[in-house]
Amino acid sequence: MAEANTNTDVQDVKNPEEFLANFNWHNYEEGIDQVEDEKLEEFEKLVAENFVDTDDDAVVDGTVVRMTDREAIIDINAKSEGVISLNEFRYNPDLKVGDKVEVLIDVREDKTGQLVLSHRKARTIKAWDRVNAAHDKGEIVNGFVKCRTKGGMIVDVFGIEAFLPGSQIDVKPIRDYDQYVNKTMEFKVVKINHEFKNVVVSHKALIEADIEEQKKEIIGQLEKGQVLEGVVKNITSYGVFIDLGGVDGLIHITDLSWSRINHPNEVVELDQKLNVVILDFDDNKSRIQLGLKQLSAHPWEALDSELKIGDKVKGKVVVIADYGAFIEVAEGVEGLIHVSEMSWSTHLRSAQDFVNVGDEVEAVILTLDREDRKMSLGIKQLTPDPWTDITTKYPVGSKHTGTVRNFTNFGVFVELEEGIDGLIYISDLSWTKKVKHPSEFVAVGDKLEVLVLELDVEGRKLSLGHKQTTDNPWDKYEDEFGVGTIHTAEITDTNDKGATVALNDDVVAFIPSRHLEKEDGKKLKKGDTAEFKVIEFNKEFKRVVASHTAIFREEEQKNVQAAAKKQQTAEKTTLGDLDALQELKDKMEGNN
């Protein structure tokens, strides 16, 4: 009966798939069911046409017929179904029953009689053909982001590990790469290196095409003054880049806020949505200048209309320059205090000597131009002008103690009090010392006794003297070292013109070369001690000239004069004797 049934099945079969599905393999293998040779040949033909040769290593197509938590059961039209670990489908998390997949038979039958298939190996065999085809045709491919690597990500594309550069992930800078790991994304194959088997893919390239279309549409509608919504894409020290939906614009730091800011991150933050206004753009609209502060009224327009010159205001120091400090008296409204308006002193200093950034200061409005939005302020005006009663405080001839604030080649500036400076000319520093530069005599910060020599109230100038605070020692030196006085001293220095000797701590005499000659004809040299006679004394120019030669030559002259006088006396005596003899002779002759 079984045989009849089997024969009937073989005879009646019209659908090969139905026949194969209903065929009793066990009875056939045990010899229970007999099949005629003709029918057996037909059966073998059906098997050859419908069953996969499991001895073949070629890649075949299979269908997912069932899925478990760990595996996918694949039908490849073999005697048994195959299994593939779901790990091989990580790149395709949407895998479902009915999907067609490529497989390679890994193990023909395991101990349970099932085929062990490999989808990964099948993909690898076909991968290079697919990757090259996708690159040549510009096709979009799916890839599974496996992990991060230096400079980008590793992506599984058709079973090949491709490189996704960080710059090719998105059109905007990526700050968190890890958010893409274990995700399946669409990519475009942008580069293949056949020699090293390297593949580079891009997700950004897919977005750019859509963005380019959006960009053209947006650019075509741009107008100056137009207000658009954008997203903060990047923040730099000089400004903020805004994504307007595929088109980037720049808000310069000066267009972020009416108030002065040091860095754009004080006003905006990354990914922040905000409205901006188009200020300008170039001819092809590739560079778009945006503004944020322009969406609010200018602070000068809200400034108190009653505010006027001479009023006192308070504000915070926001910027310091060498020439002054900017004070924010209201949000977005600044005034400049020039360094000359910080102190009554005519000796200008740096603004940092008076204020620091962040200081709260009070000032007086000196100028106010609402149209040009400019304001100048002053601090010194909060205190009385010290020159108001200058003639009472510092009359000519009065002595005071001041502080050396600065010096130049020609003199020293001495501050008597804040706002009152006077100048001591270099010639008025010392009665006796020849000062070539003030730094030889004083240092900045020294206390110095001064005498008011001249006072120019209108020109706000004081002329001071230091040497005048003491008596002029040259008054007594005129008597001590006058012309004709003789002094013993040592030659301290020599040159081609002569030598110098110190008569005391203040008085140095010059000895001309011809006056260095000694009595024996030789000349005095450095280190010799001798007597010197003052032959010139000038108190005004502090000039003293002396001579050694004049001493012995004066003695010679005295001796010559004495000898001549003695000779004259002798001559007179001789002549007198001759006259007496002649008189005696005449008498004698007269007597005769």
Side-chain angles (χ1 to χ4, degrees):
M1 214 160 148
E3 182 179 352
N5 291 338
T6 303
N7 290 338
T8 301
D9 291 340
V10 174
Q11 292 171 358
D12 295 340
V13 68
K14 295 180 180 179
N15 187 337
E17 293 182 1
E18 184 180 347
F19 170 78
L20 294 172
N22 296 328
F23 189 78
N24 193 328
W25 293 99
H26 176 72
N27 289 348
Y28 171 72
E29 290 175 353
E30 294 295 329
I32 299 172
D33 292 341
Q34 297 297 321
V35 181
E36 296 177 3
D37 291 342
E38 183 182 343
K39 299 299 181 183
L40 188 59
E41 288 176 4
E42 185 180 351
F43 166 71
E44 288 176 350
K45 183 180 179 182
L46 289 170
V47 170
E49 290 176 355
N50 292 278
F51 282 91
V52 172
D53 184 1
T54 57
D55 291 334
D56 193 354
D57 288 335
V59 175
V60 297
D61 289 331
T63 304
V64 180
V65 293
R66 192 167 66 256
M67 295 178 66
T68 69
D69 293 340
R70 294 186 175 182
E71 297 172 327
I73 312 303
I74 310 296
D75 178 12
I76 61 169
N77 284 338
K79 287 196 297 181
S80 62
E81 296 171 337
V83 293
I84 299 178
S85 172
L86 287 179
N87 285 335
E88 296 192 25
F89 295 99
R90 292 178 63 195
Y91 74 93
N92 184 12
D94 297 326
L95 184 70
K96 62 185 181 299
V97 173
D99 285 354
K100 298 289 185 180
V101 293
E102 293 175 336
V103 296
L104 183 73
I105 299 170
D106 204 8
V107 178
R108 292 185 181 87
E109 287 186 1
D110 62 6
K111 59 185 179 181
T112 63
Q114 277 191 317
L115 292 172
V116 178
L117 308 176
S118 174
H119 177 60
R120 182 182 294 112
K121 291 180 180 179
R123 290 181 74 219
T124 302
I125 292 172
K126 295 287 187 179
W128 277 103
D129 292 337
R130 290 180 172 176
V131 165
N132 280 284
H135 179 260
D136 294 340
K137 297 177 181 179
E139 294 177 348
I140 297 172
V141 299
N142 284 330
F144 178 74
V145 182
K146 297 176 66 176
C147 61
R148 282 193 61 176
T149 187
K150 185 178 180 181
M153 318 286 287
I154 298 297
V155 179
D156 182 328
V157 178
F158 301 135
I160 294 176
E161 288 192 345
F163 177 59
L164 172 63
S167 61
Q168 294 300 312
I169 298 176
D170 205 336
V171 290
K172 60 183 179 181
I174 302 301
R175 293 180 288 279
D176 180 16
Y177 284 69
D178 292 332
Q179 64 178 311
Y180 295 97
V181 176
N182 294 329
K183 284 188 176 182
T184 299
M185 301 169 61
E186 291 184 333
F187 299 99
K188 190 173 182 180
V189 180
V190 294
K191 185 176 181 182
I192 297 178
N193 187 317
H194 295 280
E195 182 179 357
F196 297 103
K197 298 292 183 182
N198 290 336
V199 178
V200 180
V201 296
S202 170
H203 180 68
K204 176 182 177 182
L206 302 178
I207 306 172
E208 285 179 333
D210 294 335
I211 289 179
E212 196 62 35
E213 291 299 320
Q214 296 177 18
K215 196 172 182 179
K216 290 179 181 178
E217 185 178 347
I218 293 172
I219 287 177
Q221 298 174 356
L222 289 183
E223 295 180 2
K224 292 181 183 179
Q226 185 178 8
V227 177
L228 299 173
E229 184 181 68
V231 178
V232 177
K233 180 178 180 181
N234 193 20
I235 299 175
T236 69
S237 59
Y238 57 85
V240 179
F241 287 93
I242 304 296
D243 182 358
L244 300 173
V247 180
D248 288 349
L250 172 66
I251 307 177
H252 193 269
I253 187 171
T254 56
D255 290 316
L256 281 169
S257 172
W258 292 115
S259 298
R260 193 184 297 265
I261 59 174
N262 297 315
H263 196 278
N265 57 22
E266 297 175 20
V267 179
V268 298
E269 57 185 24
L270 285 172
D271 300 326
Q272 178 182 348
K273 287 185 178 180
L274 63 153
N275 290 330
V276 292
V277 61
I278 298 176
L279 301 180
D280 202 359
F281 43 73
D282 56 8
D283 293 338
N284 58 9
K285 299 182 181 179
S286 60
R287 293 185 179 180
I288 305 171
Q289 183 182 343
L290 305 174
L292 180 63
K293 71 180 184 182
Q294 288 79 4
L295 294 176
S296 59
H298 198 290
W300 271 84
E301 296 175 7
L303 190 65
D304 186 357
S305 59
E306 300 297 322
L307 211 59
K308 61 186 184 302
I309 293 174
D311 286 351
K312 294 179 182 179
V313 291
K314 290 183 179 180
K316 183 172 69 173
V317 179
V318 290
V319 172
I320 294 180
D322 289 337
Y323 56 84
F326 288 93
I327 312 298
E328 188 176 52
V329 298
E331 185 177 357
V333 178
E334 294 178 2
L336 172 65
I337 304 179
H338 193 272
V339 67
S340 62
E341 303 298 340
M342 291 183 174
S343 169
W344 288 110
S345 175
T346 54
H347 169 57
L348 296 183
R349 286 171 278 174
S350 174
Q352 287 92 335
D353 295 335
F354 299 96
V355 294
N356 298 307
V357 172
D359 286 353
E360 294 286 343
V361 298
E362 186 178 30
V364 175
I365 299 176
L366 304 181
T367 64
L368 181 61
D369 188 338
R370 293 178 183 271
E371 184 176 344
D372 289 339
R373 295 168 178 170
K374 290 182 179 179
M375 180 189 303
S376 63
L377 308 171
I379 294 178
K380 71 181 184 182
Q381 288 77 9
L382 296 172
T383 57
D385 185 354
W387 280 82
T388 303
D389 56 350
I390 189 73
T391 54
T392 304
K393 284 185 177 180
Y394 305 103
V396 174
S398 59
K399 288 184 180 180
H400 308 276
T401 300
T403 303
V404 176
R405 289 301 182 196
N406 192 18
F407 43 70
T408 65
N409 292 330
F410 56 84
V412 179
F413 286 97
V414 177
E415 185 180 62
L416 301 180
E417 65 173 84
E418 182 71 24
I420 304 295
D421 288 350
L423 173 65
I424 304 176
Y425 282 101
I426 195 169
S427 58
D428 289 319
L429 287 173
S430 174
W431 289 114
T432 57
K433 293 181 181 179
K434 292 184 178 180
V435 183
K436 295 181 180 179
H437 191 274
S439 59
E440 301 172 6
F441 191 82
V442 292
V444 173
D446 285 355
K447 296 293 183 180
L448 205 62
E449 293 290 328
V450 295
L451 183 77
V452 178
L453 303 180
E454 295 179 18
L455 177 58
D456 181 359
V457 178
E458 186 176 345
R460 302 173 78 93
K461 291 182 180 179
L462 268 178
S463 179
L464 307 174
H466 172 65
K467 70 181 185 182
Q468 289 82 357
T469 58
T470 59
D471 294 334
N472 187 353
W474 283 85
D475 290 339
K476 63 177 182 179
Y477 292 157
E478 189 172 14
D479 296 331
E480 186 177 351
F481 303 104
V483 174
T485 57
I486 297 175
H487 310 275
T488 301
E490 178 185 343
I491 295 179
T492 56
D493 197 10
T494 59
N495 55 43
D496 294 340
K497 294 182 179 181
T500 56
V501 296
L503 301 183
N504 66 10
D505 291 340
D506 296 330
V507 181
V508 176
F510 175 69
I511 317 298
S513 181
R514 60 190 177 85
H515 287 276
L516 291 172
E517 186 177 335
K518 296 188 291 185
E519 194 170 0
D520 59 5
K522 297 181 179 180
K523 284 191 175 183
L524 293 170
K525 58 184 182 297
K526 185 177 180 179
D528 288 349
T529 300
E531 288 187 332
F532 298 93
K533 183 178 182 181
V534 177
I535 58 176
E536 182 183 344
F537 184 92
N538 190 313
K539 181 176 71 172
E540 183 179 356
F541 296 103
K542 303 179 182 63
R543 174 180 170 85
V544 178
V545 181
S547 170
H548 171 70
T549 305
I551 292 178
F552 69 81
R553 283 189 178 170
E554 184 178 348
E555 290 296 327
E556 288 180 353
Q557 187 175 1
K558 285 181 181 179
N559 292 335
V560 170
Q561 290 176 350
K565 186 175 181 179
K566 184 176 181 181
Q567 184 177 358
Q568 289 176 357
T569 302
E571 287 177 353
K572 287 181 180 180
T573 302
T574 302
L575 290 174
D577 291 344
L578 289 176
D579 291 341
L581 289 173
Q582 185 64 42
E583 183 178 352
L584 179 61
K585 181 180 178 182
D586 291 341
K587 285 182 179 181
M588 290 177 64
E589 289 177 352
N591 292 331
N592 293 330

